Amino acid sequence: MSSKWKQIFSESEIPFYIYKLNKGDSLIFQYQAKYQPLIIVFYGTVYIMKIFTNSEAIFLAILTNKSIIDFNFFDSNYVYYKVVALENTYLIKFFWLDYIAHCKYLSTSIKLLDLFRYTLRQYESSSYILMHKSIRYRVVQLLLLLCKDFGILNNNYVLIPFELSQKTISYITGSNPITVNKIVNFLIKRLFIKYIVKNKIIICYFSFFSYLRNSKIT
């Protein structure tokens, strides 16, 4: 797996670490004021959950390549953060102090700033999912986001190109698998989507987007 960021860090002699997550794998991070790590998603797709000491979990964002995870904003000792791969994903982890001490080129800092800007847009898009009180609307909004950002267009449908189990959908939308199963079955019966159980792949038909427009869900 090649990456321009690996090359940039190597040329600048900035210490870094590379993680490979297979789909379904996860990493746990907790705030550490002393080290201040940053993580660049340079290939793949992940989602981030904020988990409290009472085991309550809140979905934060779906991030893809060209995104950056900045744990300096997550300044609490009472929570931890779980990064889960939706597909095979590669991450680069480095530390602010190492970056400041070794970075030689202004262009590198500009590229890093571009990552922050792109990531903010992804957080904003992800926030629309939890804006809805209705779990059905949350599920629909999630599918819409995935179709828009990752979907593969075909003749009369859009394919979401990675596994999306109903357990994952329930985790992201703050629901339970039973409720999600009912919602998915509703969408299937209305011929809005097709859920391939064996591969956990979702196909969204064009009628699904007409439903969104007419229902003013978006």
Side-chain angles (χ1 to χ4, degrees):
M1 176 59 59
S2 61
S3 167
K4 67 176 182 180
W5 284 103
K6 288 170 57 179
Q7 181 179 354
I8 289 172
F9 286 179
S10 296
E11 291 176 352
S12 300
E13 298 181 346
I14 301 171
F16 65 93
Y17 308 86
I18 293 181
Y19 296 91
K20 178 187 176 182
L21 299 180
N22 295 319
K23 55 186 176 184
D25 288 351
S26 61
L27 289 174
I28 302 296
F29 295 93
Q30 194 164 17
Y31 174 72
Q32 295 179 320
K34 181 179 179 181
Y35 300 106
Q36 298 185 350
L38 286 172
I39 294 176
I40 294 174
V41 183
F42 71 89
Y43 181 86
T45 309
V46 301
Y47 67 93
I48 304 177
M49 302 295 299
K50 180 178 182 178
I51 303 176
F52 297 87
T53 51
N54 63 357
S55 298
E56 180 182 354
I58 297 176
F59 165 72
L60 293 181
I62 296 174
L63 302 179
T64 186
N65 56 304
K66 299 186 293 183
S67 300
I68 191 163
I69 305 172
D70 183 0
F71 291 102
N72 300 305
F73 293 130
F74 305 151
D75 54 353
S76 174
N77 294 320
Y78 302 102
V79 299
Y80 65 90
Y81 297 86
K82 188 174 182 179
V83 179
V84 185
L86 285 170
E87 58 182 337
N88 292 347
T89 300
Y90 289 82
L91 310 170
I92 289 181
K93 177 182 176 182
F94 62 103
F95 296 93
W96 265 121
L97 291 180
D98 291 333
Y99 180 84
I100 294 170
H102 294 87
C103 185
K104 302 174 183 177
Y105 308 109
L106 177 61
S107 60
T108 301
S109 296
I110 293 174
K111 288 185 176 69
L112 196 62
L113 181 60
D114 288 339
L115 294 187
F116 276 108
R117 289 172 175 164
Y118 179 71
T119 303
L120 284 175
R121 290 197 296 270
Q122 290 190 300
Y123 267 90
E124 182 180 8
S125 296
S126 298
S127 69
Y128 294 147
I129 295 171
L130 299 185
M131 284 176 60
H132 299 286
K133 293 182 180 180
S134 165
I135 298 300
R136 178 185 292 183
Y137 285 4
R138 288 186 180 186
V139 172
V140 166
Q141 190 71 55
L142 171 62
L143 297 181
L144 176 63
L145 172 66
L146 295 176
C147 286
K148 179 174 68 72
D149 289 350
F150 310 104
I152 299 174
L153 184 63
N154 210 304
N155 290 331
N156 65 338
Y157 64 83
V158 178
L159 171 69
I160 298 174
F162 41 73
E163 290 185 6
L164 192 66
S165 69
Q166 294 188 21
K167 183 178 180 180
T168 297
I169 296 173
S170 67
Y171 205 39
I172 291 175
T173 57
S175 180
N176 60 72
I178 295 175
T179 301
V180 168
N181 181 260
K182 291 179 180 178
I183 295 169
V184 169
N185 286 336
F186 165 80
L187 296 173
I188 291 172
K189 289 177 182 178
R190 295 288 295 271
L191 301 180
F192 294 146
I193 70 170
K194 180 178 180 180
Y195 189 76
I196 304 174
V197 178
K198 181 178 180 181
N199 299 322
K200 299 182 177 65
I201 297 295
I202 291 181
I203 290 172
C204 296
Y205 294 108
F206 289 167
S207 57
F208 173 68
F209 305 107
S210 298
Y211 166 70
L212 295 183
R213 184 176 62 252
N214 296 333
S215 302
K216 298 182 180 179
I217 292 177
T218 58

